[in-house]
Amino acid sequence: MASCALLTLCLIAFVARSSAYIPVVLWHGMGDSCCNPLSMGSIVNLLKKQLPGLYTVSLEIGNSVAEDTENGFFMNCNKQVDIVCTKLLADPKLAGGYNAIGFSQGGQFWRAVAQRCPNPPMVNLISVGGQHQGVYGFPRCPGDQVKMCDFVRKLLNFGAYNEYVQETLVQAQYWHDPLNEDLYRNTSIFIADINQERTFNATYKANFLRVKNFAMVKFLQDTMVQPRESEWFGFYKPGETNQTYDLKDSKLYQQDLLGLQEMDQQGRLHYLSSDSDHLKFTDQWFIDNIINQFLK
């Protein structure tokens, strides 16, 4: 009888501990999918091993893994954000809040969600190699999506700010040309908007400030993202393709157009790094820097 009571208490304690974890929602990067066992599947398994009972969602944009992968190249970013906002709102297990982890371009997509869709509440936003000032270069492709990447390159070379390319190609929508800042500001349909480049959207700032912590991971040996400073919200100086600036030197920070300065002063803005190439972190690095710091 005593052993049964003890077992019951242990089970109650376990359930209580399990339910204490805030759900985690993942958004994969370019060329990947929700359910690749070597990428998102591996992350989900690691999370569940470290946080027993954790509720996780790995976002699938589309009706199949193949469609999800293709949409990472060819579905309008704003439409993807709308789809995810609807998915989040429809999931009752996320009603109390969730932690968002975005890998590569998933990082800036999550930020758009935070700025546009405050319900359900995003608790922590973790951007793993996200390009928050966009990119100016497309040096190589992840995984085995070589043919698709070659087609993307051709479209970017044709003209990233061409109306058709802007509406069609995901990577064009966060293309940031430092040699033509005016064209970028006036034409970019995604990254310029969420970075307050054209007009100040007070709702974007208010919503983003509701996030408890914003953590940005920079890969110090990154050979995919140009410039890698974008992973910490820096970029090339206007008119330059070699010299860069840091977030704190930007108008976005100095005029606090998005609340980043306020978050920084409150200790809610976190700069993390991995001394590796793009997304080439180890399980132990992820446990030490992400799980233990932001998910427990």
Side-chain angles (χ1 to χ4, degrees):
M1 189 74 174
S3 61
C4 289
L6 181 60
L7 178 60
T8 300
L9 287 173
C10 289
L11 286 172
I12 291 172
F14 176 78
V15 171
R17 180 173 177 268
S18 299
S19 63
Y21 296 128
I22 297 170
V24 172
V25 188
L26 310 175
W27 199 331
H28 63 80
M30 175 185 74
D32 203 356
S33 72
C34 62
C35 313
N36 185 334
L38 300 179
S39 57
M40 294 301 96
S42 176
I43 294 293
V44 168
N45 289 337
L46 181 61
L47 288 169
K48 290 187 173 182
K49 181 178 179 181
Q50 295 295 315
L51 307 171
L54 174 72
Y55 178 64
T56 63
V57 177
S58 186
L59 292 171
E60 181 179 59
I61 313 298
N63 298 314
S64 67
V65 168
E67 199 171 297
D68 185 28
T69 304
E70 291 173 6
N71 287 337
F73 291 99
F74 302 117
M75 180 184 279
N76 187 296
C77 298
N78 296 302
K79 183 177 180 181
Q80 293 193 52
V81 170
D82 289 344
I83 288 171
V84 169
C85 289
T86 300
K87 284 177 176 282
L88 297 172
L89 203 55
D91 191 336
K93 293 183 180 180
L94 303 178
Y98 64 97
N99 287 317
I101 308 179
F103 297 86
S104 198
Q105 67 184 21
Q108 58 263 36
F109 295 170
W110 267 132
R111 182 161 61 81
V113 171
Q115 293 173 212
R116 295 174 180 174
C117 307
N119 294 305
M122 183 185 295
V123 180
N124 294 314
L125 169 54
I126 301 160
S127 169
V128 185
Q131 305 96 43
H132 293 279
Q133 277 288 2
V135 298
Y136 187 60
F138 197 77
R140 67 178 180 86
C141 187
D144 56 1
Q145 305 297 327
V146 177
K147 289 184 179 179
M148 202 173 292
C149 281
D150 286 342
F151 182 62
V152 169
R153 267 194 204 90
K154 289 177 182 178
L155 286 177
L156 289 172
N157 289 334
F158 171 72
Y161 300 123
N162 171 275
E163 184 177 357
Y164 170 78
V165 177
Q166 268 294 303
E167 291 290 340
T168 306
L169 184 63
V170 167
Q171 289 68 40
Q173 292 160 28
Y174 57 85
W175 189 262
H176 183 169
D177 187 345
L179 303 179
N180 203 332
E181 290 280 352
D182 287 341
L183 181 63
Y184 151 70
R185 273 190 289 270
N186 294 327
T187 311
S188 170
I189 65 171
F190 178 68
I191 200 73
D193 175 66
I194 65 170
N195 283 0
Q196 310 272 44
E197 295 280 14
R198 285 190 287 272
T199 57
F200 173 68
N201 186 326
T203 301
Y204 279 2
K205 178 177 179 179
N207 286 343
F208 194 59
L209 281 170
R210 295 176 62 175
V211 174
K212 182 179 178 182
N213 291 289
F214 176 32
M216 302 179 289
V217 178
K218 177 180 178 181
F219 292 93
L220 302 181
Q221 308 302 325
D222 205 314
T223 61
M224 182 177 295
V225 174
Q226 292 182 343
R228 64 179 67 117
E229 284 77 10
S230 186
E231 296 171 347
W232 278 357
F233 239 123
F235 203 66
Y236 292 120
K237 293 180 178 180
E240 297 281 348
T241 57
N242 291 310
Q243 295 185 333
T244 60
Y245 63 82
D246 295 331
L247 170 61
K248 291 184 178 181
D249 297 323
S250 68
K251 173 184 174 183
L252 186 70
Y253 184 93
Q254 293 177 353
Q255 296 185 14
D256 208 17
L257 300 176
L258 201 54
L260 292 166
Q261 183 185 123
E262 182 175 337
M263 294 179 83
D264 192 17
Q265 292 171 347
Q266 295 172 349
R268 297 160 54 202
L269 182 64
H270 307 270
Y271 298 85
L272 309 179
S273 65
S274 172
D275 192 16
S276 61
D277 204 346
H278 195 65
L279 301 183
K280 299 297 183 181
F281 53 85
T282 64
D283 284 359
Q284 193 59 52
W285 180 93
F286 194 80
I287 292 168
D288 293 341
N289 292 275
I290 305 300
I291 294 178
N292 290 345
Q293 299 300 318
F294 299 103
L295 305 182
K296 284 189 172 180

